[in-house]
Amino acid sequence: MTADLPISFADVAEAAIRIEGHVHHTPVLRSRRLDDILGARLAFKCENFQRIGAFKARGAHNAVLALDAAAAARGVVTHSSGNHAAALSLAAATRGVPAYIVMPENAPRAKVDSVLRLGGQVEFCAPTIAAREAAAAAIVAARGATLVHPYDDPMVIAGQGTAAMELLDAAGPLDAILAPVGGGGLMSGTAVAARTLQPSIRIIATEPAQADDAWRSWKAGERVAGDPPDTIADGLRTTLGANGFLILSALLDDFVTVSEAAIVEAMRLVWEVLKIVIEPSSAVPVAALIEGKVDVKGAEVGVILTGGNVDLDRLPWQKGL
Amino acid sequence: MTADLPISFADVAEAAIRIEGHVHHTPVLRSRRLDDILGARLAFKCENFQRIGAFKARGAHNAVLALDAAAAARGVVTHSSGNHAAALSLAAATRGVPAYIVMPENAPRAKVDSVLRLGGQVEFCAPTIAAREAAAAAIVAARGATLVHPYDDPMVIAGQGTAAMELLDAAGPLDAILAPVGGGGLMSGTAVAARTLQPSIRIIATEPAQADDAWRSWKAGERVAGDPPDTIADGLRTTLGANGFLILSALLDDFVTVSEAAIVEAMRLVWEVLKIVIEPSSAVPVAALIEGKVDVKGAEVGVILTGGNVDLDRLPWQKGL
């Protein structure tokens, strides 16, 4: 079924072995009260507890650890400035090789500090996509470093799939599995892992309606641009990658979009009942349950909570700030 | 060593068997980054993930499940309106018997709703301590219900001690164990469990300096009143109980107090790094580490995080609210 896709289940299984001991087996949480409220039996895979606070540690470690020694020694580079930058810095430090992180001059100080703390080398550039890509390309040319794409690199996709592997192992047979879609790396890895491990499982992608390029592409059968993303789910403002498109087109059972109001409500509900800090992107599949967008009444449902890196000074349900 | 104290280790061990399956074995979390920041190897027992969101579920279940059938059928009563009220309601529902919760007429709606949702029967009274005690006594007299004190009942103390039992079992040998003191139920149970299971462990109590009656009592060698409590750690505004005083006097190695500023800083640090929601009371032992009040440099330290019931609309580090 996955023979002609960019990655196979074997790639995910190999990733799991490769990253073992470098990233956490995160816990799976359940709550009777949340089950009552949402009408399904829910198993939450807590990637907010992952190293660097997000699932991105999985794919970055897989990509860095899979390099041959000579390539690794020349370092890795990215021009993503969010969780992938932190994850790549950590993975490179794990292997003792340099990570070059291209960031716009106006990047938030917290993001710069996070990369520096993890040993990444920050290279500033002008705040345009063209300048960032040029700066990264210059580092690749000058140093022979390997560019690790934040979500469309097959090794990254395979690494992200290990979260679903662990969830299915810990939670037992599931009727459905839900995750959010930004660039599609996590959702693609999840789909490949879940379809092989539990072939009859329903694989359901979720995306903010205000950042729905992936949903539109899935509907259209070809990659199409959406309106400029305008969602509080800041991790999902990216565009679906080419490999992600191929995998999601082949393996998804359903794909739903959710409102901003439902994302905020879902985020708050998870904080309130599960007592964990999740970022808005993590709340998107829970929002789909709140809005009744997927029929999972009474079913066993796995949900991947993708990360927990938020600004604690400003929470989206606090109107006065 | 504990022979002449209000409870023995056997009481804690029996409580663990009695409440098994009714309350959660909560996870123990660790964080390399937090270890680096605080200078010790820390194991956090996450009672914020406990049923009703706080350790109180342990003691309440132990007290209710230990009643003989005739006494249980007549129900249980308390005039605490916080986590103990929710815990007692849940424990009574578990056993299928009534819980009568005396609350002041001006109790926050959220607390009333929480008790009602768990099946407790709310009896309103005038907002004075005398009125609450009279209302509870009237229920005891009229219905033969059993009053379960929120922190000084020996069965409650024994139940709270099961959190430390689980922590020591999960985390391995510890050099020290820290918990907060309000009425002293959790700290007393912790001390009895820890002193027996790991006799050389340092047992360290922590309390807000602005609610320091227990610390003053421990110093004075007799129970003394403090100034009226004025701390954001709302779970610790209670007065040390008589049984708690006896146990803490016999078993503590140290007792330290912390500032309000350190409590807020500790609470935020735990949210930021561990990605979990804890209430201010939970942050008090972490505040002691931040302020360097206890010498645990490089040591293995267990910390009990007591609960996670907070008002998400107003967080103490947000000045503008």
Side-chain angles (χ1 to χ4, degrees), chain A residues 34 39 70 80 94 157 194 205 223 226 245 254 278 297:
Chain A
L34 220 39
S80 158
T94 295
I157 294 173
R223 280 209 293 161
F245 172 75
D254 202 359
I278 61 165
K297 196 165 173 60

Side-chain angles (χ1 to χ4, degrees), chain B residues 210-228:
Chain B
Q210 291 184 193
D212 67 352
D213 72 288
W215 178 81
R216 288 178 191 228
S217 299
W218 180 74
K219 282 280 191 192
E222 60 178 332
R223 279 209 293 163
V224 297
D227 298 325

